[in-house]
Amino acid sequence: MRGRRHPLVNQQPQDLRDDELLRTLGYKPVLTRRMGPFGNFAISFSVISVLSGCMTLYGFGLNTGGPAVMVWGWVAVGAMVMFVGAGLAEVTSAYPTSGALYYMADQLGSKKWGWYTGWLNLLGLLGAIAGIDYGAALFTGAFANLQWGFQPTPAKTVIIYLCILLLHALLNLFGVRLVSILNSISVWWHLTGVAVVGGVLWAVPAHHQPASFVFGTFVNDTGWNSHWYVVLIGLLLAQYTFSGYDASAHLSEETTGAQVNAARGIVHAITWSWLAGGILLTGLTFAIQDYTGTQTTSTGVPPAQIFLDALGTGGAKALLLIVITAQLFCGNAEVAACSRMVFAFSRDGALPGSRWWRQVSDRTRTPVHAVWLSAAVAAVLAAPSLYSSTAYGTVTAINVIGITPAYAIPIYLRLRNRRTFRPGPWTLGTWGPLIGWVAVLWVAFVTVLFLLPQSYPVTADTFNYAPVALAAVLLLATIWWHVAGRRSYDTPTYGTARETAELEEEIV
């Protein structure tokens, strides 16, 4: 345990400015702090985006457990994610940097802990961009199908996806203030959107499913015989949606009062998403008119078929526009979070070409090259969707198995060093160890779960490629560690800001 590297945040004056604290943690401030507490909460809430995660994986849920698993799985997973979020928030309060998870692991463990945490975090963030924006492309194709008779083939969907990625990259080049404004709008759009979708689906259709159907119907169209196995893999819908809340930590160097506001942003984003997602999922499921027709919809998007059957073409298109806009907000926020992770990881020399990716625009104070790298890699991750109908499920699983373990590693290291860990002003107190161990055990469970095959029989088309992606990233990380990382990767020692003229020139 490298105790000398711990930030002694509780020994600092309460009015210590954010940038002074950042210098104490070892970094020279180069990003602009224009994000307040609501903006920090908004970015995690936007990334979680129940109108993205719940809607894009709703078809997966219809086949993998059906209504009962979707609804009760949402309740159970949400409860467990609250433990993970609270544990992560406590560590974030002590280490509010753009590097977030890997910096925490490095300070609490060792360089290797930080190295592998960073690569897992990066894999998850890139998978999240791909999952969110590809989902938006699917819904955009469904809208175009209703509006103009557009046939959303895989190739056409990928083209839409690339256009959305380009839009998000361009929006992220204008600076964090625009990102913050868009995220603030996104919060109200999501909350209002969930209320409108739920309210319309409750008030307009002449027929609703009974409560026994919504809360008690189990459906297994996966090919697996074990109902318990199907129940477990059906949790992917909720676990995938409940990811990305580390965005609050990644934007902490651009947040005022980051020690408190970034930690609160994580917890508040999970809480409000849990409530909103429950309303959305039950509203959708009550409104199903034809279960089989919804599963096999020609639109390619089961929620679109629910809207169409329950409301007609006009109502369906209106609700789809609400969902698509929310998904666009979500993807934009995820690009912002991922680009800050790329910037921070490169600032510490971890990525090939780090000198290039860590550069910040002197006009917008934005890591421009990191933004483009994030969008480019996300584009590659979705390429298998051209050939495989199950590729989207793999992309979402990549997000979960990459980012979720990265959440647990800092929490575990905080538990391992609980006697020397010095919390920030946002702390769990005596509840910290219990909450932390629940979080770590849950993450270990779901990580193994989503490495398993999701459909049977297992063929080249139905194979879950998430373990391959995970193995590839870990192999790349190991090779790069021995080739260059052990010499180039270096986080600063506590209390020693790296402020040499050479580094300043490289970054700016």
Side-chain angles (χ1 to χ4, degrees), residues 102-338:
Y102 85 84
Y103 179 82
M104 301 172 194
D106 184 281
Q107 300 297 296
L108 290 168
S110 66
K111 285 182 66 174
K112 275 198 172 182
W113 277 109
W115 176 264
Y116 284 103
T117 301
W119 280 96
L120 286 171
N121 191 194
L122 186 57
L123 171 66
L125 289 168
L126 291 167
I129 296 175
I132 293 163
D133 279 3
Y134 193 83
L138 290 171
F139 273 75
T140 302
F143 176 82
N145 175 264
L146 296 179
Q147 181 67 30
W148 300 293
F150 173 85
Q151 294 302 315
T153 64
K156 292 176 181 177
T157 301
V158 168
I159 291 173
I160 297 171
Y161 167 68
L162 294 176
C163 292
I164 292 172
L165 270 179
L166 178 61
L167 170 66
H168 287 155
L170 292 174
L171 287 174
N172 271 275
L173 300 182
F174 288 96
V176 72
R177 182 163 181 79
L178 176 61
V179 172
S180 182
I181 291 171
L182 291 174
N183 288 331
S184 297
I185 297 171
S186 172
V187 171
W188 300 112
W189 187 274
H190 274 81
L191 293 176
T192 303
V194 168
V196 169
V197 171
V200 169
L201 290 179
W202 179 258
V204 175
H207 168 74
H208 288 91
Q209 296 290 344
S212 58
F213 171 84
V214 174
F215 298 104
T217 299
F218 177 82
V219 177
N220 177 13
D221 289 331
T222 64
W224 295 104
N225 292 324
S226 170
H227 286 351
W228 277 111
Y229 183 83
V230 175
V231 168
L232 293 176
I233 61 175
L235 299 179
L236 175 60
L237 182 153
Q239 187 64 54
Y240 165 67
T241 305
F242 279 118
S243 63
Y245 44 86
D246 58 314
S248 289
H250 288 297
L251 272 291
S252 59
E253 289 186 31
E254 294 157 271
T255 300
T256 58
Q259 284 188 281
V260 173
N261 292 330
R264 286 178 177 171
I266 292 171
V267 175
H268 291 172
I270 295 171
T271 303
W272 283 101
S273 297
W274 193 13
L275 174 63
I279 294 172
L280 181 64
L281 284 174
T282 53
L284 275 172
T285 310
F286 270 115
I288 292 175
Q289 307 296 306
D290 177 1
Y291 199 93
T292 301
T294 300
Q295 289 176 295
T296 59
T297 175
S298 61
T299 66
V301 178
Q305 191 64 46
I306 294 174
F307 297 159
L308 190 61
D309 293 342
L311 309 173
T313 303
K317 289 190 288 188
L319 294 191
L320 277 175
L321 285 176
I322 292 175
V323 174
I324 291 168
T325 304
Q327 292 171 336
L328 294 177
F329 279 128
C330 174
N332 189 65
E334 187 61 57
V335 171
C338 186

Side-chain angles (χ1 to χ4, degrees), residues 130 134 137-138 151-162 378-395 460-461 465:
Y134 193 83
L138 290 171
Q151 294 302 315
T153 64
K156 292 176 181 177
T157 301
V158 168
I159 291 173
I160 297 171
Y161 167 68
L162 294 176
V380 173
L381 281 179
S385 298
L386 286 168
Y387 313 103
S388 171
S389 60
T390 60
Y392 184 71
T394 297
V395 170
D461 186 56
Y465 290 93

Side-chain angles (χ1 to χ4, degrees), residues 88-103:
L88 183 61
E90 183 179 48
V91 188
T92 297
S93 181
Y95 302 91
T97 70
S98 295
L101 310 181
Y102 85 84
Y103 179 82

